[in-house]
Amino acid sequence: MRLPVADRLDRFVRERLRPLRVEASAPVDIAAWPVPGEPVPFSEARGREFRPLRVGAPWGTPWSTLWLHVTGVVPRDWDASEHHRSELLVDLGFNDQSPGFQAEALAFRPDGSIVKAVSPRNAWVPVEGEVDLYLELAANPTIPPESHWRPTHLGDGPLPESSPLYTLRRLEIGRIDTRVEHLLLDIEVLAGLAEQLPPSSPRAARIGSSLSTMLDAIDPDDVRGSVERARAILAPVLSSPAAASAHTVLATGHAHIDSAWLWPLRETIRKCARTFSNVLDLLERHPDLRFACSSAQQLAWMEEHYPAVFARIEEQVRAGRFVPVGGQWVEPDTNLPGSEATARQLVVGKRWFLEKFGVETSEVWLPDTFGYSASLPQLIRLAGADWFMTQKISWNQTNRMPHHTFWWEGIDGTRVFTHFPPIETYNAELSPAELAHAERTYTDHATGTVSLAPFGWGDGGGGPTREMVERAHRQADLEGSPRVTLGAPRDFYESARDEDPALPVWTGEMYLELHRGTLTSQVKTKQGNRRTERLLHETELWAATAALYGDAPYPHELLRRAWRQTLLLQFHDILPGSSIGWVHREAEEAYAALAIELEEAIGASLAALTGPGTRTLTANSAPLPLGGVGAGAVALSPPPRAATRLTATAEGGWVLSNGVVRAVVDAEGLLVGLSGPSGRNALPEGARAALLRLHPDYPDKWDAWDVDAHDRARARAIDLDRADTIVAFVGDDGAGVVSATRSVGASTLTQTLRLAPDAAGIDVEVRVDWRETHRLLRMVVPLEIHADETRAEIQFGHVTRPTHTNTSWDEARFEVVAQRWIHVADSTYGVAIANDSTYGHSVERSLSVSGAVVTTVGLSILRAPTFPDPHADQGRHEMRFRIRPEATLTDAAEEGHRLDRAERVVLGGQEVRPLVACSTDGIRVLTVKLAEDGSGDLIVRLHEATGGRQDGRLTFGIPFATIDEVDLLERPLDAALHRADTDAVDLTLRAFQILTLRCRPARTTDPGPRRPTERQI
């Protein structure tokens, strides 16, 4: 309700009270040095020539840095008092946007030690006596995150020729009257609370009466002298305790710092220094505050670039007040990274926290990511974590999650305690409105009494402020409000986990009904990630094999650095394609540099394994046999079959046939028939597959993030079903090829259908010179299959999704993720569609003219959003797909690995048997590497891949002294598998179970073509 006294109160606060907070001010002298290029450390800046600068001066072209040297004296007549303090008051030219999206500064003492940061809601630095400070000003441009319909070039990089963005409005010493400050907070909390209460509430009436009495008691000629009397009048309503049944909010300080987004990585490092210095200052002033920090990468930056800040963080970690959480290297996307990368976020992050702080993080902390893979619960538990926290699911457009505290069950049946804070923000200010919202929206009052609230300025950093802590104190036990307790996330978990032993269960993926476009935006970044993940896998596999077969050196340092770089680039605004162009340009450069290093390492390992020679060998790094070469082996490939037959049809099209697959192509280069050995046509009669469709793509709000259903319905397929030119031929490799060039607007597309002599499916290659904006390019494949559900690859398994739209949950899932493949099948027949770099998929049902059910798979290939990067996806692209008829789930995985380029042709002298092999395709060895601790032990990570219990035998190329089941961090597990003196292990895995083995070598042997000895244990 709005209080009757509200207008009077607002005017009093605005015009009479707030101006009294600064009782007096004193000038300072200012000198400036503009950095000519990229930021420099304090040690370099201090020795430069600083020139005088005045308040009112413009400063800061986009992304530039200005150093200020500020000197002055706190007036001697400002005597020390418990009711006053002195501060340097700063206004860099702040606007009304949130902190972190505009100018910021960091204050240094002359010795280079950091005091704290300056931002719009934290615009002060403590001073006393003589003032001698250096301020590093960052002219980060304001790129409003809500302005996704206004393209801007501010994210392209530094613009030194531009006009200054900011004007230095204020820089002076201020004397702060803390009594006025506290009265302002008293009024804010009480008035804010009253607005959340029902109009008929006695509590609201009493608050209104007290505020009115307080205003009456103010002496208009001596407002400052009336402050203590005013606070005394409000004290009774501020001390009235909360109801016994009031909800409890466990508030933990937090600063959600995006590792890149509307700023580049280099600026994130400075944002972390600014935020953490503010937090450290606040922790020293408020002993009851706890601060949760989630990303190991950000703390590693502090250790490297700001060691003094890191040392202070270490002290507060030991004191239990600066609390590492989350256990991951960064807060990643969870849909797009592959299996091992998703595990490595936990492996690398948790190991770093353990090594640097001796802290075992107990939760996975992912407040802001765009959907949650159903593989996560098992990985969370295998990493030694107890629970999971997220927030973003509150952004669902259509359906609300039914619970806030629940068990989340993954694809293998593992359950993890999960909390979704009902305050519905990870940047809370602890306002009465936010707390009331938390209590109103909490769905589990019948069984739970406590929820979590991460508070502090975030996204661009900033963290908690003293005002937020004061609000928490005032609302700790306040009638009409939830109770607020300051604490660490672990305090919440320990309070909440035992409240109800029979929590509800959510099974499978947690699909975010928003930001579906992140599965497609910035395809070059996604391709760089896919390629790098494969190269990392190959580097580890072949280097471990070479090390154990021939004592070759293992590239520990390269892999450590490459994994950290890759994991950083999987941050939830980089890999999804939702950052400024500067970020994606640097990501693609980083991927290219990693590719060179990793290719060199792979070449060296394979050369060591195969020895000198001129035999043409195929190295298969996939967990399945490919082309006659076993998983993890290097061997001669069998010769291909006879060349594919290419024959013309009377209708002007062609038939491609290799004895296994028959593909019929029409005169426009589109598939109109596709069959395997049985002869059943996978396509509906009269339908065309691999048809490229162009959709308008104007999201309602979030440009790079979203694709909306209304645009999906407005396809302009007619623009891309005609060929400008078309050629058909049999290539030198014996493959039958039909290649069509199409055009739309300023873009050209070359679509090639290719059937290799030994292929079980047809390849579709798309080369695009893309010049569109706000267009979505999709490829559709209609299948005459009555499929009630589809299966799509995710990390360490697959998920099953319905093809119908019976419920609002089904209808909202119109764009879904698949990693390398999607499989569509009825009870007797299936088709696999694999890809090399596409993640966004759709599945729709319809009826053919004959009444048969048609299941149509759509693949989102390219987008062209203009915010935050107006150049997103422009340029040349290549992507490949394979459509395989009569495919099983294993066939689908096989085609996915083929397109992932798991086969590598090398020249050498000898074949190499697998270091690790499994007797069944249903159990797949995904990772073979040496242990993270440098011991030389072999680490093997495998999983059940079909969704059912599997028995299998794992055999090794050398014997091992011991083989033990371990967790993701390669530590022994209680009551786990243990074998001694063996080169084989019999396994039974449940559906989608992940198993990690640590194998201590007993001896080494020479590589050779012979198979490992199978010995029963």
Side-chain angles (χ1 to χ4, degrees):
M1 63 165 289
R2 183 162 175 81
L3 295 171
V5 74
D7 290 338
R8 181 185 177 197
L9 185 67
D10 290 346
R11 183 173 183 184
F12 166 74
V13 168
R14 184 177 63 254
E15 297 181 3
R16 306 298 303 282
L17 186 60
R18 186 166 286 122
L20 298 180
R21 179 179 170 274
V22 180
E23 186 173 320
S25 61
V28 293
D29 293 322
I30 311 167
W33 174 62
V35 180
E38 284 293 281
V40 300
F42 172 82
S43 58
E44 181 177 341
R46 189 184 177 193
R48 298 293 182 151
E49 181 181 358
F50 283 71
R51 297 179 181 274
L53 187 78
R54 294 183 177 276
V55 170
W59 72 278
T61 58
W63 305 112
S64 66
T65 300
L66 178 70
W67 281 87
L68 300 183
H69 186 198
V70 182
T71 55
V73 177
V74 177
R76 294 181 180 177
D77 59 349
W78 290 7
D79 57 311
S81 164
E82 63 175 316
H83 300 307
H84 295 87
R85 65 172 184 270
S86 297
E87 295 175 350
L88 186 68
L89 305 177
V90 187
D91 185 344
L92 303 178
F94 299 132
N95 55 48
D96 60 358
Q97 297 292 320
S98 294
F101 296 91
Q102 53 183 295
E104 303 171 64
L106 187 59
F108 294 76
R109 300 181 185 91
D111 64 1
S113 60
I114 291 173
V115 185
K116 68 179 290 291
V118 172
S119 63
R121 311 293 192 276
N122 208 333
W124 58 277
V125 181
V127 294
E128 58 183 24
E130 293 190 6
V131 176
D132 190 353
L133 294 170
Y134 289 82
L135 300 182
E136 182 192 30
L137 276 58
N140 298 336
T142 297
I143 304 175
E146 302 298 329
S147 299
H148 295 149
W149 47 89
R150 292 200 296 272
T152 175
H153 292 280
L154 288 171
D156 292 348
L159 300 171
E161 304 304 318
S162 299
S163 300
L165 295 174
Y166 298 104
T167 298
L168 183 63
R169 292 201 193 104
R170 186 180 199 181
L171 195 52
E172 62 185 4
I173 302 168
R175 177 173 167 84
I176 308 301
D177 188 332
T178 58
R179 295 167 300 183
V180 173
E181 193 171 66
H182 286 299
L183 178 58
L184 285 166
L185 284 161
D186 293 346
I187 293 171
E188 176 193 337
V189 166
L190 286 172
L193 172 59
E195 289 181 357
Q196 301 305 311
L197 298 173
S200 60
S201 165
R203 173 64 167 158
R206 283 193 292 271
I207 290 173
S209 176
S210 295
L211 288 169
S212 182
T213 301
M214 180 271 296
L215 290 171
D216 291 340
I218 296 290
D219 183 348
D221 298 320
D222 186 15
V223 175
R224 192 183 302 279
S226 307
V227 166
E228 290 186 342
R229 181 165 65 251
R231 292 202 71 201
I233 291 169
L234 298 181
V237 285
L238 277 168
S239 62
S240 181
S245 60
H247 185 66
T248 296
V249 172
L250 192 292
T252 190
H254 186 50
H256 178 72
I257 307 174
D258 286 318
S259 291
W261 180 24
L262 303 179
W263 47 86
L265 286 166
R266 67 92 151 147
E267 194 56 35
T268 309
I269 299 172
R270 299 203 296 177
K271 284 178 176 290
C272 289
R274 292 190 284 260
T275 296
F276 296 153
S277 63
N278 280 347
V279 167
L280 292 165
D281 177 81
L282 204 59
L283 288 172
E284 292 165 2
R285 297 171 189 272
H286 296 281
D288 58 341
L289 176 63
R290 300 293 182 268
F291 177 78
C293 181
S294 67
S295 295
Q297 169 68 89
Q298 295 179 356
L299 293 171
W301 280 331
M302 295 303 95
E303 183 182 32
E304 178 182 358
H305 298 283
Y306 296 89
V309 171
F310 185 74
R312 292 171 63 194
I313 289 173
E314 285 184 296
E315 292 178 7
Q316 293 291 356
V317 170
R318 286 194 295 270
R321 303 181 62 217
F322 192 108
V323 184
V325 296
Q328 295 175 290
W329 188 244
V330 297
E331 292 181 11
D333 182 86
T334 75
N335 285 318
L336 302 167
S339 298
E340 187 60 21
T342 303
R344 290 295 176 93
Q345 283 287 352
L346 290 157
V347 172
V348 177
K350 288 202 67 163
R351 283 184 63 87
W352 194 91
F353 285 130
L354 281 164
E355 291 168 1
K356 298 299 179 180
F357 301 135
V359 171
E360 174 90 19
T361 52
S362 63
E363 65 289 295
V364 170
W365 184 276
L366 277 178
D368 180 24
T369 196
F370 311 144
Y372 310 88
S373 169
S375 297
L376 279 177
Q378 184 179 190
L379 292 170
I380 290 169
R381 298 305 295 270
L382 287 174
D386 299 323
W387 62 289
F388 177 72
M389 190 283 285
T390 185
Q391 181 65 70
K392 197 74 170 191
I393 204 73
S394 67
W395 288 40
N396 272 3
Q397 285 179 313
T398 307
N399 301 283
R400 290 188 64 84
M401 287 291 287
H403 298 284
H404 288 97
T405 303
F406 53 95
W407 290 109
W408 180 21
E409 182 178 284
I411 53 174
D412 72 312
T414 297
R415 293 179 179 180
V416 63
F417 182 92
T418 299
H419 183 63
F420 154 38
I423 202 165
E424 296 188 341
T425 177
Y426 42 81
N427 296 327
E429 301 175 59
L430 298 184
S431 68
E434 290 174 335
L435 295 172
H437 180 82
E439 189 168 56
R440 280 196 302 267
T441 59
Y442 185 60
T443 56
D444 303 308
H445 285 302
T447 55
T449 64
V450 61
S451 65
L452 186 66
F455 73 95
W457 294 109
D459 292 326
T465 65
R466 59 191 179 191
E467 291 80 10
M468 295 176 192
V469 176
E470 291 290 347
R471 290 186 199 112
H473 290 161
R474 282 163 175 77
Q475 297 169 102
D477 190 14
L478 183 62
E479 183 185 358
S481 170
R483 290 185 178 86
V484 178
T485 301
L486 293 176
R490 185 76 188 182
D491 299 327
F492 158 76
Y493 172 66
E494 292 178 349
S495 297
R497 65 180 173 182
D498 298 326
E499 287 196 314
D500 181 12
L503 291 173
V505 178
W506 180 273
T507 300
E509 67 183 335
M510 285 196 286
Y511 176 86
L512 180 65
E513 296 172 357
L514 194 70
H515 294 355
R516 303 167 181 90
T518 59
L519 301 176
T520 306
S521 295
Q522 297 284 6
V523 70
K524 287 184 178 178
T525 298
K526 291 173 170 60
Q527 289 177 327
N529 175 75
R530 179 86 67 100
R531 178 182 67 242
T532 304
E533 286 186 350
R534 186 248 306 166
L535 292 174
L536 282 164
H537 165 72
E538 286 191 88
T539 302
E540 290 181 333
L541 169 65
W542 302 126
T545 304
L548 291 180
Y549 276 170
D551 201 29
Y554 188 81
H556 282 287
E557 179 55 30
L558 167 62
L559 286 166
R560 183 196 66 82
R561 179 168 45 81
W563 267 115
R564 288 185 176 186
Q565 179 81 63
T566 303
L567 296 176
L568 167 60
L569 295 177
Q570 291 176 345
F571 177 74
H572 64 253
D573 274 311
I574 302 178
L575 184 53
S578 48
S579 288
I580 56 174
W582 188 352
V583 172
H584 291 288
R585 183 173 66 246
E586 290 189 337
E588 289 152 24
E589 291 168 357
Y591 286 133
L594 285 174
I596 293 171
E597 291 188 279
L598 294 172
E599 287 282 5
E600 289 177 355
I602 292 166
S605 294
L606 287 171
L609 284 166
T610 62
T614 58
R615 301 174 73 188
T616 301
L617 305 169
T618 297
N620 175 22
S621 61
L624 289 165
L626 296 179
V629 178
V634 184
L636 290 167
S637 299
R641 300 186 182 93
T644 298
R645 296 186 302 276
L646 175 68
T647 57
T649 67
E651 295 79 16
W654 297 267
V655 175
L656 307 174
S657 178
N658 64 4
V660 178
V661 174
R662 182 176 185 272
V664 183
V665 183
D666 70 8
E668 302 296 338
L670 296 169
L671 275 176
V672 292
L674 181 65
S675 57
S678 72
R680 172 176 167 176
N681 186 10
L683 309 183
E685 184 179 353
R688 294 187 292 183
L691 175 66
L692 295 174
R693 283 182 173 171
L694 198 67
H695 299 251
D697 189 15
Y698 292 93
D700 295 343
K701 185 175 182 182
W702 300 90
D703 211 30
W705 288 257
D706 287 346
V707 290
D708 289 332
H710 56 71
D711 283 337
R712 180 67 53 83
R714 294 190 288 163
R716 288 162 47 201
I718 191 171
D719 289 344
L720 295 172
D721 63 352
R722 299 288 182 184
D724 297 337
T725 61
I726 191 165
V727 294
F729 57 91
V730 176
D732 294 339
D733 60 357
V737 177
V738 178
S739 185
T741 299
R742 314 180 195 282
S743 60
V744 59
S747 300
T748 57
L749 305 91
T750 300
Q751 185 179 24
T752 301
L753 304 179
R754 182 178 183 275
L755 183 62
D758 53 355
I762 188 164
D763 287 337
V764 183
E765 300 173 356
V766 181
R767 292 193 175 102
V768 186
D769 185 2
W770 189 240
R771 304 297 170 185
E772 304 305 298
T773 58
H774 290 290
R775 294 289 184 269
L776 171 63
L777 180 66
R778 305 182 73 243
M779 186 177 79
V780 294
V781 182
L783 302 168
E784 190 172 318
I785 298 177
H786 189 153
D788 291 326
E789 57 193 22
T790 61
R791 290 174 174 82
E793 185 190 30
I794 63 168
Q795 301 90 342
F796 297 103
H798 62 261
V799 290
T800 301
R801 301 184 180 107
T803 60
H804 57 71
T805 55
N806 282 356
T807 71
S808 60
W809 296 87
D810 301 329
E811 190 172 17
R813 203 179 285 115
F814 60 80
E815 182 87 351
V816 296
V817 66
Q819 293 247 327
R820 285 172 292 210
W821 54 264
I822 188 168
H823 185 253
V824 182
D826 57 25
S827 62
T828 61
Y829 183 87
V831 171
I833 303 173
N835 70 83
D836 75 342
S837 56
T838 294
Y839 295 89
H841 293 69
S842 66
V843 180
E844 299 173 275
R845 285 171 62 136
S846 60
L847 295 178
S848 70
V849 292
S850 65
V853 171
V854 176
T855 304
T856 299
V857 177
L859 300 100
S860 296
I861 297 176
L862 274 172
R863 298 189 66 215
T866 58
F867 186 93
D869 177 10
H871 314 291
D873 288 318
Q874 299 297 299
R876 298 181 183 275
H877 307 276
E878 297 181 18
M879 50 278 295
R880 296 169 62 207
F881 309 88
R882 179 169 287 191
I883 309 171
R884 178 168 175 170
E886 300 189 25
T888 65
L889 282 172
T890 299
D891 295 335
E894 183 182 312
E895 300 303 347
H897 287 294
R898 278 204 176 91
L899 288 186
D900 207 22
R901 296 169 176 82
E903 298 164 289
R904 177 184 292 267
V905 176
V906 297
L907 296 178
Q910 64 180 344
E911 295 181 301
V912 181
R913 67 186 183 277
L915 180 59
V916 186
C918 190
S919 63
T920 175
D921 289 341
I923 297 176
R924 295 183 194 152
V925 178
L926 286 191
T927 300
V928 177
K929 70 183 193 70
L930 295 193
E932 296 290 313
D933 61 8
S935 63
D937 290 355
L938 179 69
I939 301 297
V940 178
R941 190 151 22 253
L942 48 98
H943 78 112
E944 197 290 317
T946 68
R949 176 171 163 157
Q950 293 272 350
D951 298 324
R953 163 162 278 222
L954 202 64
T955 54
F956 298 89
I958 62 172
F960 288 94
T962 57
I963 299 175
D964 291 282
E965 182 181 354
V966 294
D967 69 3
L968 289 184
L969 275 69
E970 302 167 8
R971 303 174 297 192
L973 292 169
D974 295 335
L977 179 149
H978 170 77
R979 300 289 186 272
D981 299 321
T982 185
D983 60 4
V985 177
D986 289 322
L987 301 172
T988 298
L989 269 61
R990 69 179 183 272
F992 298 126
Q993 181 182 352
I994 302 167
L995 181 69
T996 303
L997 299 176
R998 182 171 187 140
C999 312
R1000 183 163 62 86
R1003 60 183 175 82
T1004 59
T1005 188
D1006 294 328
R1010 62 190 183 279
R1011 295 175 61 82
T1013 301
E1014 293 192 1
R1015 180 163 58 87
Q1016 187 69 36
I1017 59 173

